[in-house]
Amino acid sequence: MKNVDFRQGDVAIGEPMDAVPDGAKLVPLEGGRIILAHGEVTGHSHAVVAAEPPVQDINEEFARLYELEGRRYLHALKPVTIVHEEHEKIDVPASIREITIQREWTPEAIRNVAD
């Protein structure tokens, strides 16, 4: 990811891209939501919901999440909202963006930040 446009805790949302990379596979919904990241400590998750009132569970009419070689890409066909129980919501316009999880260095290993 070149530049970060939004950040919610340990989840970084990149600037708009032209297209989802070729070969990326669709990630299935989890309980009617697109889950960008699961919290390892709290059990909370960074989830994508429809931004249109009333806020509702997502479906492929609103957005899709793709994955290729460990990288994830959110394709919001309509405006969406990213929610998390401990962070402010983020409204994301219709766009394609790379999603990354912040990593941290420890003497033992490089690992994802635990939320």
Side-chain angles (χ1 to χ4, degrees), residues 1 6 11-17 19-21 24-27 29 33-36 46-49 58-59 62-67 71-82 90-100:
M1 175 183 312
F6 303 102
V11 173
I13 303 151
E15 292 181 331
M17 306 169 52
V20 173
K25 303 289 184 200
L26 187 63
V27 176
L29 297 175
R33 301 185 308 166
I34 292 174
I35 304 297
L36 301 178
H46 299 270
V48 179
V49 297
I58 204 82
N59 62 46
F62 289 93
R64 298 176 184 141
L65 184 64
Y66 294 90
E67 189 167 34
R71 294 180 180 263
R72 288 189 154 198
Y73 304 90
L74 175 64
H75 184 183
L77 293 108
K78 297 182 178 183
V80 297
T81 300
I82 300 175
I90 296 175
D91 294 320
V92 178
S95 54
I96 299 170
R97 296 163 184 273
E98 184 176 352
I99 305 298
T100 58

